[in-house]
Amino acid sequence: MPNQLLNVQGLETHFQTREGVVHAVNGVSFTLNEGETVGLVGESGCGKSVSMLSVLRLIPTPPGKIVAGSAVFRGQDLLKMAEDEIRNVRGSQISMVFQDPMTSFNPVLTIGRQVAEPLEIHLGMSKEQAKDRVVELLEMVGIPNSRERLNDYPHQFSGGMRQRVMIAMALACNPQVLIADEPTTALDVTIQAQIVELVKRLRDELGMAIIWITHDLGIIAGMAQRVIVMYGGYFIEEAQVKELYANPQHPYTMGLLGSLPRLDLDQKKRLVSIDGLPPTLMEKPQYCPFAPRCKFAIERCWNENPVLETLAPDHRVACWVDIKTGRAR
């Protein structure tokens, strides 16, 4: 049995706005094992990034606030750590690759300086030691002429190269967990494929666990062992990758999979769209958050919000209806 690295239970995060309280993350729970890759999927605004930023206590306060839950990493609750303790965890034991490589770097500091900083802070390296290690890291992620590029600034790198440097920075201290927040979103398709292959290779070489946040189920298919589907601030389905793709049990997951182009099916078959709009999250629903968009909704869906229940080994779903039969579970 693999060792459990991270155990998050009942995580809730709110944001105070002029219009009221936004319930961004609503009691989500999950685990992550050593060397495992978990995909967190869902449409924009469903709470994927906020849930992971909450685990690392990177939510801006105010307006954000973690109001409930625990995130136990190696026996310690990250949400209860003192500020200097959590700072020692970030970057050294749990690292994050942020969503936009264009804006994630400080534009007035050289790339070499920014990648070297965590080495000096967390590993106590001298400036010369850090410089040599940065060259190794940049070579590892495929940056040519690495030593000559240490004094270059972020604007002198392309988007794909910047994302590679961001990955090098995240891996600088050999973290046990890498959180990748849609790291290929702003890149073209060929660069996306290169970044995915790079992360897979580094994962296998370094043995780290990965949480890959995305709205693209196609990327997750070839990368993760387990998938968690998120909607409206809730986790609504969780399963092993092959099981989820072959046997989706939630109407939203079925809709997501139906919207993917398939090369193995009739090319004349139309892609599926999900009617309606995502919830605003301004109030915590007492009913299923997907009910307004669901063609399978029954009366119970409007009266009670389902919780994740186990249907089969390693497969959990939050739905009152069996979508295969259209009947209540």
Side-chain angles (χ1 to χ4, degrees):
M1 285 288 291
N3 292 327
Q4 192 178 93
L5 272 179
L6 182 64
N7 186 345
V8 175
Q9 295 295 322
L11 181 66
E12 286 193 45
T13 303
H14 296 172
F15 286 88
Q16 187 68 51
T17 69
R18 290 179 181 178
E19 289 76 28
V21 176
V22 175
H23 298 79
V25 178
N26 298 307
V28 301
S29 301
F30 69 96
T31 59
L32 179 70
N33 297 325
E34 286 184 350
E36 183 183 30
T37 301
V38 172
L40 180 55
V41 301
E43 60 199 45
S44 297
C46 71
K48 306 184 300 296
S49 298
V50 173
S51 59
M52 293 303 112
L53 289 169
S54 299
V55 168
L56 284 177
R57 302 247 302 273
L58 289 173
I59 294 295
T61 306
K65 186 179 181 182
I66 301 168
V67 298
S70 63
V72 177
F73 175 72
R74 293 295 193 192
Q76 289 187 295
D77 190 348
L78 300 174
L79 305 186
K80 293 181 180 177
M81 282 184 175
E83 194 58 43
D84 58 338
E85 291 178 312
I86 188 69
R87 203 177 288 125
N88 287 331
V89 172
R90 294 188 205 118
S92 61
Q93 298 173 63
I94 304 177
S95 282
M96 190 161 185
V97 178
F98 294 97
Q99 193 169 89
D100 187 358
M102 310 301 172
T103 58
S104 296
F105 288 103
N106 187 327
V108 299
L109 294 178
T110 65
I111 287 295
R113 178 77 228 119
Q114 295 186 63
V115 180
E117 187 175 39
L119 295 168
E120 295 171 19
I121 292 173
H122 294 298
L123 302 183
M125 289 187 179
S126 67
K127 283 191 173 0
E128 279 306 309
Q129 289 173 325
K131 185 176 179 180
D132 291 339
R133 176 61 176 154
V134 170
V135 172
E136 292 176 11
L137 288 164
L138 294 182
E139 288 175 350
M140 183 172 68
V141 297
I143 302 291
N145 305 316
S146 298
R147 193 169 291 276
E148 288 74 31
R149 303 220 63 180
L150 291 181
N151 293 323
D152 287 352
Y153 289 87
H155 72 271
Q156 294 174 276
F157 288 76
S158 68
M161 287 297 179
R162 255 181 286 204
Q163 196 59 284
R164 287 171 182 265
V165 176
M166 180 63 67
I167 292 169
M169 185 187 294
L171 299 179
C173 300
N174 295 323
Q176 295 161 295
V177 179
L178 176 69
I179 300 173
D181 187 2
E182 303 212 34
T184 60
T185 298
L187 308 175
D188 64 57
V189 176
T190 53
I191 302 300
Q192 280 187 22
Q194 290 175 17
I195 296 296
V196 170
E197 287 305 313
L198 169 65
V199 173
K200 286 166 67 175
R201 176 173 63 81
L202 294 174
R203 173 195 65 190
D204 296 339
E205 289 177 3
L206 303 175
M208 62 188 173
I210 296 175
I211 299 173
W212 189 286
I213 303 170
T214 185
H215 58 268
D216 188 342
L217 279 161
I219 288 177
I220 290 300
M223 175 160 235
Q225 286 95 40
R226 185 158 50 97
V227 186
I228 300 171
V229 182
M230 194 169 190
Y231 183 82
Y234 294 91
F235 287 173
I236 59 168
E237 188 162 8
E238 178 184 358
Q240 297 295 307
V241 168
K242 289 183 179 179
E243 167 68 11
L244 187 96
Y245 282 64
N247 189 29
Q249 291 293 318
H250 196 283
Y252 178 64
T253 308
M254 190 169 70
L256 287 181
L257 291 169
S259 68
L260 283 176
R262 295 279 297 271
L263 297 177
D264 57 338
L265 297 178
D266 184 357
Q267 297 299 300
K268 295 180 181 179
K269 187 176 180 180
R270 294 180 64 87
L271 297 179
V272 175
S273 63
I274 303 174
D275 295 332
L277 296 172
T280 62
L281 305 181
M282 293 305 292
E283 56 183 55
K284 201 170 179 179
Q286 302 305 309
Y287 52 87
C288 174
F290 190 64
R293 306 173 71 182
C294 182
K295 63 183 180 182
F296 296 98
I298 58 175
E299 185 177 352
R300 189 177 185 185
C301 301
W302 293 98
N303 297 326
E304 192 178 350
N305 193 352
V307 296
L308 278 173
E309 292 188 352
T310 302
L311 293 184
D314 300 321
H315 197 155
R316 300 190 301 158
V317 67
C319 185
W320 296 126
V321 180
D322 182 343
I323 60 174
K324 304 297 182 185
T325 64
R327 298 173 185 168
R329 291 192 192 281

